[in-house]
Amino acid sequence: MFTGIIEAVGEIVACEPRSGDLRLRVKTFGLDLAGISLGDSIATNGVCLTVIELPGDGYVADVSSETLANTTIGDWQAGTPVNLERALTPSSRLGGHLVSGHVDAVGEVLSRHPDARSERFRLRAPDSLAKYIAHKGSITVDGTSLTVNRVEGAEFELNIVPHTLEHTVMGTYVPGSRVNLEVDLVARYLERLLLGDKAAEA
């Protein structure tokens, strides 16, 4: 589990195709890897990846074909900046919201414009996710925990403060940018719970 509070921005060093899936090497720059062991999880632009190698300046992770099909990882190349967050520990502060690192779908940035010292972004989610996006609710965009300011159908707006622009990859977004979306975990479970006994039906 994660909080959606980005700890550092890293960079993709290499994307190596491996028989239908992919192996990634990520340079972590300011992310402290002192407590990271093989098998630990690091959210990389919102995607929970398992560390399989620790070369010293970052980590290596394998990416399955399922993950490639449902995230923006297939768009990445050497030099792509990525948001990084280590997994929660029992002593972590929950500064954002509970984030699983299991991306629901890929969304698109429609527009951005200045709003005082902030930037206002408009994004479009796939229609299937629209019911989970609520005004003043939480959403994760490329691993960043954010508050939804406005919703119209499958489109929603975010007001991003200067600190977030400077310390995440959001500053690089332009209209047409593809982003990883994860909807609020509580909304997912609530939907399933409301099905009652019908949840067991095929």
Side-chain angles (χ1 to χ4, degrees), residues 26 30 87 111 113 143 172 197:
V26 184
S111 64
H113 65 268
T172 68
D197 292 341

Side-chain angles (χ1 to χ4, degrees), residues 3 17 25 31 45 53 77 82 89 104 108 112 119 124 142 148-149 154 168-169 172 195 197 202:
T3 68
R25 178 167 175 161
L31 188 71
N45 261 18
E53 294 179 24
Q77 55 189 337
V82 287
T89 66
D104 289 300
E108 180 185 357
R112 66 177 287 183
E119 290 273 329
R124 179 188 295 119
D142 279 341
V148 176
N149 295 111
T168 72
V169 301
T172 68
L195 286 174
D197 292 341

Side-chain angles (χ1 to χ4, degrees), residues 172-190:
T172 68
Y173 292 172
V174 296
S177 292
R178 285 160 38 90
V179 295
N180 293 320
L181 299 177
E182 181 184 331
V183 297
D184 185 51
L185 195 64
V186 175
R188 279 283 191 198
Y189 282 113
L190 182 59

